[in-house]
Amino acid sequence: MAYQGGEAANYYSPPHGGGGGPQYPPPNNSYEMHQPQNGYYNRPPPPPPPPAGGGGYSNVPMNDGGYHNGYGAPPPPPPPTGPDGKMGPPPSYDEVFAVQKPKWNDLWAGVLFLATCAGFVGVSAISIQGYAATRNINSGGLNGQRNRFGLTTHTIWLFGWVLITAIVLSYGYMWVARKFTKQFIWITGILNVVLGFATALYMLSRKYYSGGIVFLIFAIFQLICFISWRSRIPFSVLMLQTAIDVAKNFGHVYLVSAIGGLLATLFAAWFSVTLVSVYVKYQPDPNNPACRQGAGGCSSGKVIGLIAFITFAAYWISEWLKNTIHTTIAGVYGSWYFNSRNFPTGVTRGALKRCLTYSFGSISLGSLVVAIINFLRQLASVARAQASSDGDILGMILWCIVGCLIGLLDWAVQFLNRYAFAHIALYGKAYVPAAKDTWKMIKDRGIDALVNECLIGPVLGMGAMFVGYATALMAYCYMVFTNPSYNSGGGFTPVVVAFAFLIGLQICNVFTTPLSSGIDTIFVASAWDPEVMIRDHPDLYHRMVAVYPEVQQAIHA
């Protein structure tokens, strides 16, 4: 079982019956079921627990019904067989991943999330009413509105083109992942770096130095990362191919991706109109008739406060949507990993139902943490742009460093969330216990080495950045060439470009979530029960060993 020679160079001609590589036996598609012994199906009795301090993984039952190392419930057993030895009828998702004594976890976070959504709806309704009441001064040609004090219908048209660009590029990116899997990582890296430099150089040529310098730093950093990642591409391609193969044959992965992307686009459109309406409704100016319409008056404090609130709400709602999709898809891939020979029924529906009921609060809590971090990073970005416009070079550098530090924190939290939500999907635990158990298990089993070796998460992040670059560049060009009257001094350019980048980034993140979710779930499931990988998915295991021999240290029975 322990093939030691790495064959990353030969991966692109996989050993499936042609020369070049070792011939591995196909998976055994049938096995004899036995009655459970000591709580285990079709496997020998469990070994004794590891020595104290060894940090090993063990599913040895304890008297209190728990499991060593605090990993929670063991993975589900293989499906039962009928009297004739054949597979019985497939179980349902709720039967395979039954939750003992189910309850609504982290309910307070779910209530707070719903209250935030209600607040967003209220602000949006009041602002849009103010915009509609004064539409005559905000409409007209692309740059012929009489409004010279704030965003107008021109900006709504701009964000409309941003949405179209984001959804077309995101859909195209998913299509490339499916059709050109082996070349996908190279295509992503090259496009992202090239467009990053192009956006930066164009902004610098237009003397928009704050935006140009930031994009240039990002492009240089991504170029360095991509060059250093080349040796890890074969393993990453294998995992991406596996995720795509499962998505084609099990569950409704691509349907969830399409619906999620559509919902993200619709919400981005709603947010765009709300953003413009807040400026129209509350921007203080003697010529602004909206100040005398509806609720409240106009002030700079109201504009800043409401923009801050709807931006935070948008982060939280979009993160919740992305994580709900992630948790739903984790249920699909978990079902494939543990029950590939008798795939359960109603997997997508059952996983989504759990996300919207017992795990709703847990997903809201995990999304809240990320939303707060992203909001702080957005504030740092605004402060950096303000320092640049004031000519404060030192302030711009300091805020840039702060933004990078917040970005590292965001990466760490996102990393943990991905695997914690996979745990929540299958076992319905609360957010904090799931995060603690999953992190401890990953470290004990050494799965973190596989996670670090796989580039799919960073690559999909680069793809989302590519879409963000494209939408930001499109928004900047639109502002420059249409030259709206309200932006005669260029003061609104950073705001519009920043939100265009955010919209493109979040929409692409939602579209690509199912692919990264599948790989994350496979890694975590391998840590929960590595024997299932060796027994039920031997072809995948051997190919993983071929391109990354160290996998044997993390996945072993």
Side-chain angles (χ1 to χ4, degrees):
M1 184 70 73
Y3 171 67
Q4 297 292 340
E7 296 199 2
N10 295 330
Y11 169 66
Y12 292 98
S13 298
H16 280 299
Q23 300 297 311
Y24 299 122
N28 180 18
N29 290 323
S30 64
Y31 54 87
E32 180 181 359
M33 287 293 301
H34 302 282
Q35 292 299 316
Q37 300 177 356
N38 297 324
Y40 287 79
Y41 286 74
N42 198 33
R43 67 182 76 174
Y57 175 83
S58 173
N59 273 337
V60 181
M62 302 178 67
N63 293 333
D64 61 356
Y67 286 78
H68 283 290
N69 296 324
Y71 298 153
T81 58
D84 55 358
K86 298 182 179 179
M87 287 290 178
S92 68
Y93 178 84
D94 291 330
E95 291 173 337
V96 172
F97 299 106
V99 177
Q100 300 297 328
K101 298 180 180 179
K103 65 177 183 178
W104 293 67
N105 295 311
D106 302 309
L107 184 60
W108 67 269
V111 173
L112 182 60
F113 174 74
L114 292 177
T116 302
C117 293
F120 180 86
V121 171
V123 171
S124 177
I126 294 173
S127 302
I128 292 176
Q129 183 275 333
Y131 167 80
T134 58
R135 187 172 50 189
N136 60 318
I137 72 165
N138 295 293
S139 301
L142 287 179
N143 60 353
Q145 295 95 348
R146 289 183 289 157
N147 180 343
R148 298 178 180 272
F149 49 82
L151 302 181
T152 66
T153 305
H154 167 275
T155 321
I156 294 179
W157 282 105
L158 185 156
F159 282 129
W161 286 109
V162 165
L163 293 172
I164 293 173
T165 302
I167 196 169
V168 169
L169 290 179
S170 299
Y171 182 83
Y173 189 62
M174 285 290 291
W175 180 84
V176 170
R178 296 179 63 181
K179 297 297 182 181
F180 304 99
T181 307
K182 292 182 179 179
Q183 298 81 16
F184 175 72
I185 296 177
W186 288 99
I187 293 172
T188 298
I190 293 172
L191 285 179
N192 197 65
V193 171
V194 169
L195 188 60
F197 277 110
T199 302
L201 294 176
Y202 180 74
M203 288 183 175
L204 290 174
S205 70
R206 303 288 305 187
K207 298 182 179 181
Y208 178 40
Y209 295 115
S210 59
I213 291 174
V214 171
F215 277 98
L216 183 62
I217 293 173
F218 284 164
I220 293 174
F221 176 74
Q222 289 168 347
L223 176 62
I224 295 173
C225 289
F226 187 69
I227 292 174
S228 66
W229 289 344
R230 288 180 299 171
S231 62
R232 296 153 64 184
I233 289 179
F235 180 73
S236 305
V237 171
L238 171 61
M239 297 311 300
L240 180 60
Q241 285 184 320
T242 302
I244 289 177
D245 289 342
V246 174
K248 290 178 179 177
N249 298 289
F250 298 93
H252 302 85
V253 175
Y254 292 123
L255 178 62
V256 172
S257 174
I259 294 176
L262 178 61
L263 291 176
T265 303
L266 292 176
F267 176 72
W270 184 11
F271 171 77
S272 301
V273 175
T274 301
L275 176 67
V276 174
S277 300
V278 166
Y279 273 102
V280 171
K281 170 64 178 171
Y282 295 105
Q283 186 72 18
D285 189 275
N287 298 319
N288 185 5
C291 295
R292 299 180 293 275
Q293 298 287 337
C298 296
S299 70
S300 297
K302 286 184 179 180
V303 173
I304 295 173
L306 292 175
I307 292 298
F309 171 74
I310 66 171
T311 301
F312 170 75
Y315 271 123
W316 196 0
I317 294 170
S318 59
E319 282 296 325
W320 175 86
L321 175 61
K322 183 179 69 174
N323 291 327
T324 299
I325 294 171
H326 168 60
T327 310
T328 301
I329 297 301
V332 175
Y333 280 87
S335 300
W336 167 80
Y337 181 86
F338 291 115
N339 294 77
S340 60
R341 303 176 184 182
N342 197 20
F343 193 75
T345 60
V347 168
T348 308
R349 181 174 61 253
L352 179 61
K353 177 183 176 182
R354 184 171 296 179
C355 290
L356 299 178
T357 53
Y358 301 123
S359 299
F360 176 76
S362 301
I363 295 174
S364 299
L365 177 56
S367 303
L368 172 62
V369 177
V370 177
I372 292 174
I373 295 173
N374 283 331
F375 179 66
L376 293 176
R377 184 165 60 177
Q378 184 79 358
L379 292 180
S381 176
V382 172
R384 184 187 62 240
Q386 184 63 43
S388 176
S389 63
D390 293 341
D392 184 0
I393 302 299
L394 179 60
M396 187 180 71
I397 294 174
L398 290 177
W399 281 113
C400 187
I401 294 174
V402 170
C404 291
L405 293 176
I406 295 175
L408 291 175
L409 178 62
D410 177 56
W411 173 85
V413 173
Q414 294 270 23
F415 175 88
L416 182 60
N417 271 1
R418 284 155 42 195
Y419 304 103
F421 284 135
H423 194 298
I424 290 171
L426 303 182
Y427 298 117
K429 296 190 74 172
Y431 173 71
V432 173
K436 289 181 178 178
D437 291 353
T438 303
W439 177 248
K440 188 175 188 302
M441 180 178 60
I442 287 176
K443 297 297 292 184
D444 287 349
R445 290 296 303 183
I447 297 297
D448 56 325
L450 300 185
V451 173
N452 292 332
E453 185 68 15
C454 185
L455 297 174
I456 298 306
V459 165
L460 294 178
M462 292 178 73
M465 290 284 285
F466 164 76
V467 176
Y469 285 150
T471 53
L473 180 60
M474 195 278 296
Y476 180 75
C477 293
Y478 195 97
M479 292 288 282
V480 168
F481 291 110
T482 59
N483 191 26
S485 55
Y486 65 83
N487 196 46
S488 57
F492 282 99
T493 298
V495 175
V496 171
V497 170
F499 279 107
F501 178 84
L502 169 64
I503 290 170
L505 182 77
Q506 291 294 78
I507 288 177
C508 188
N509 275 332
V510 172
F511 264 99
T512 58
T513 289
L515 294 182
S516 60
S517 300
I519 297 171
D520 295 340
T521 306
I522 292 173
F523 285 153
V524 174
S526 300
W528 283 329
D529 195 339
E531 184 180 339
V532 174
M533 170 71 78
I534 300 171
R535 182 193 67 207
D536 290 1
H537 309 284
D539 180 65
L540 172 60
Y541 176 76
H542 287 303
R543 293 176 70 190
M544 291 171 69
V545 171
V547 298
Y548 183 58
E550 290 83 354
V551 74
Q552 296 166 103
Q553 300 172 12
I555 301 179
H556 53 81

